[in-house]
Amino acid sequence: MTLPMLSKPKPTAKPAAKPAAKPPATKPAVKQTVFHSKLASSAAQPTTTSTIAYRVTGKVQGVFFRKHTHKTAQSLGLVGTVQNAPDGSVVGVAQGPSPAIAEFKTWLSSTGSPKSRIDSAQFNDTPPIAATTFAIIR
Protein backbone atom coordinates (compact mmCIF):
# COMPACT_ATOMS: atom_id res chain seq x y z
CA MET A 1 0.00 0.00 0.00
CA THR A 2 1.32 3.41 -0.88
CA LEU A 3 0.64 6.53 1.07
CA PRO A 4 -0.69 9.57 -0.68
CA MET A 5 1.71 12.53 -0.95
CA LEU A 6 0.80 15.40 1.27
CA SER A 7 1.32 18.85 -0.05
CA LYS A 8 2.54 21.71 2.08
CA PRO A 9 -0.23 23.99 3.20
CA LYS A 10 -0.14 27.36 1.52
CA PRO A 11 0.38 30.28 3.92
CA THR A 12 -2.73 32.32 4.37
CA ALA A 13 -1.14 35.29 6.03
CA LYS A 14 2.00 37.23 5.35
CA PRO A 15 4.87 35.80 7.39
CA ALA A 16 5.81 37.84 10.42
CA ALA A 17 8.62 40.29 9.93
CA LYS A 18 12.03 39.14 10.90
CA PRO A 19 13.01 40.28 14.35
CA ALA A 20 15.29 43.29 14.46
CA ALA A 21 18.91 42.36 14.04
CA LYS A 22 20.65 41.74 17.30
CA PRO A 23 23.56 44.01 18.01
CA PRO A 24 26.83 42.18 17.53
CA ALA A 25 27.70 40.26 20.64
CA THR A 26 30.64 41.70 22.47
CA LYS A 27 33.42 39.31 23.19
CA PRO A 28 33.92 38.58 26.84
CA ALA A 29 37.02 40.13 28.29
CA VAL A 30 40.03 37.90 27.94
CA LYS A 31 41.00 36.48 31.27
CA GLN A 32 44.64 37.15 31.90
CA THR A 33 46.66 34.70 33.88
CA VAL A 34 49.29 36.16 36.15
CA PHE A 35 52.20 33.86 36.81
CA HIS A 36 53.78 34.33 40.20
CA SER A 37 57.37 33.46 39.60
CA LYS A 38 60.61 35.26 40.08
CA LEU A 39 61.21 35.39 36.36
CA ALA A 40 57.78 36.75 35.50
CA SER A 41 57.76 39.34 38.25
CA SER A 42 61.26 40.55 37.42
CA ALA A 43 60.40 40.69 33.71
CA ALA A 44 57.29 42.77 34.39
CA GLN A 45 59.01 45.43 36.42
CA PRO A 46 62.67 46.34 36.17
CA THR A 47 64.43 45.98 39.49
CA THR A 48 67.72 47.29 40.70
CA THR A 49 70.62 45.01 41.44
CA SER A 50 72.04 44.95 44.94
CA THR A 51 75.31 43.53 46.22
CA ILE A 52 75.89 42.71 49.87
CA ALA A 53 78.62 41.25 52.04
CA TYR A 54 77.34 39.20 54.97
CA ARG A 55 78.54 37.51 58.16
CA VAL A 56 76.39 35.07 60.15
CA THR A 57 77.41 34.02 63.66
CA GLY A 58 76.15 31.28 65.97
CA LYS A 59 76.18 27.56 65.38
CA VAL A 60 76.68 27.87 61.62
CA GLN A 61 79.66 25.60 60.94
CA GLY A 62 79.33 21.83 60.78
CA VAL A 63 75.55 22.05 60.30
CA PHE A 64 75.38 22.29 56.47
CA PHE A 65 74.83 26.04 56.64
CA ARG A 66 76.94 26.71 53.52
CA LYS A 67 75.09 24.02 51.56
CA HIS A 68 71.68 25.45 52.47
CA THR A 69 72.90 29.00 51.82
CA HIS A 70 74.07 27.93 48.35
CA LYS A 71 70.74 26.22 47.61
CA THR A 72 68.72 29.22 48.80
CA ALA A 73 70.85 31.71 46.86
CA GLN A 74 70.48 29.68 43.66
CA SER A 75 66.71 29.40 44.10
CA LEU A 76 66.56 33.20 44.37
CA GLY A 77 68.71 33.70 41.27
CA LEU A 78 71.64 35.21 43.15
CA VAL A 79 75.35 35.04 42.38
CA GLY A 80 78.18 35.23 44.88
CA THR A 81 80.01 33.12 47.45
CA VAL A 82 79.73 31.56 50.89
CA GLN A 83 82.56 30.24 53.08
CA ASN A 84 83.49 29.35 56.64
CA ALA A 85 85.54 31.96 58.46
CA PRO A 86 88.32 31.11 60.97
CA ASP A 87 86.32 32.69 63.83
CA GLY A 88 83.47 30.15 63.41
CA SER A 89 81.15 32.42 61.44
CA VAL A 90 80.02 32.06 57.83
CA VAL A 91 80.80 34.92 55.44
CA GLY A 92 80.05 35.69 51.84
CA VAL A 93 78.93 38.04 49.13
CA ALA A 94 75.63 37.97 47.24
CA GLN A 95 74.37 39.90 44.25
CA GLY A 96 71.03 39.98 42.48
CA PRO A 97 67.69 41.77 42.20
CA SER A 98 66.96 43.86 45.28
CA PRO A 99 63.79 41.92 46.24
CA ALA A 100 65.72 38.63 46.09
CA ILE A 101 68.54 40.11 48.19
CA ALA A 102 65.98 41.23 50.78
CA GLU A 103 64.53 37.71 50.94
CA PHE A 104 68.05 36.22 51.20
CA LYS A 105 68.90 38.55 54.10
CA THR A 106 65.76 37.45 55.92
CA TRP A 107 66.66 33.79 55.34
CA LEU A 108 70.23 34.33 56.60
CA SER A 109 68.98 36.20 59.67
CA SER A 110 66.23 33.84 60.77
CA THR A 111 66.13 30.48 58.96
CA GLY A 112 69.51 29.06 57.98
CA SER A 113 70.02 25.31 57.83
CA PRO A 114 67.77 23.02 59.89
CA LYS A 115 70.45 22.30 62.53
CA SER A 116 71.92 25.80 62.72
CA ARG A 117 71.42 28.40 65.43
CA ILE A 118 71.76 31.98 64.24
CA ASP A 119 72.94 34.46 66.85
CA SER A 120 73.47 37.44 64.53
CA ALA A 121 73.70 38.41 60.89
CA GLN A 122 75.46 41.51 59.65
CA PHE A 123 75.10 42.95 56.15
CA ASN A 124 77.00 45.67 54.32
CA ASP A 125 76.42 47.08 50.86
CA THR A 126 79.41 46.43 48.66
CA PRO A 127 80.48 47.23 45.08
CA PRO A 128 79.17 44.91 42.34
CA ILE A 129 80.99 41.63 41.76
CA ALA A 130 81.80 39.85 38.50
CA ALA A 131 80.40 36.44 39.50
CA THR A 132 78.18 34.37 37.22
CA THR A 133 77.23 31.65 39.74
CA PHE A 134 76.88 31.18 43.48
CA ALA A 135 79.83 29.15 44.81
CA ILE A 136 80.78 27.48 48.08
CA ILE A 137 84.40 28.32 48.87
CA ARG A 138 86.13 25.55 50.85
Side-chain angles (χ1 to χ4, degrees):
M1 170 176 167
T2 59
L3 295 176
M5 293 275 277
L6 295 176
S7 62
K8 292 183 183 177
K10 294 184 180 182
T12 56
K14 190 175 182 181
K18 290 184 180 179
K22 293 180 182 177
T26 57
K27 291 183 180 180
V30 176
K31 183 177 180 182
Q32 293 184 349
T33 303
V34 177
F35 295 96
H36 296 286
S37 73
K38 294 175 189 85
L39 181 59
S41 63
S42 64
Q45 298 177 1
T47 57
T48 59
T49 298
S50 296
T51 308
I52 59 164
Y54 59 89
R55 174 179 300 277
V56 183
T57 62
K59 185 177 178 185
V60 292
Q61 290 191 13
V63 291
F64 300 98
F65 194 88
R66 290 178 301 161
K67 175 186 171 186
H68 286 271
T69 299
H70 178 258
K71 182 180 174 182
T72 300
Q74 285 189 318
S75 74
L76 293 170
L78 304 178
V79 298
T81 62
V82 60
Q83 64 184 328
N84 286 339
D87 66 359
S89 65
V90 170
V91 298
V93 179
Q95 179 174 282
S98 296
I101 289 290
E103 191 171 337
F104 187 59
K105 288 167 73 172
T106 300
W107 184 88
L108 287 169
S109 299
S110 59
T111 305
S113 66
K115 294 185 178 185
S116 67
R117 183 194 76 248
I118 299 166
D119 292 338
S120 70
Q122 295 92 34
F123 306 96
N124 294 310
D125 291 331
T126 188
I129 57 175
T132 57
T133 62
F134 198 94
I136 297 173
I137 299 176
R138 291 177 165 57

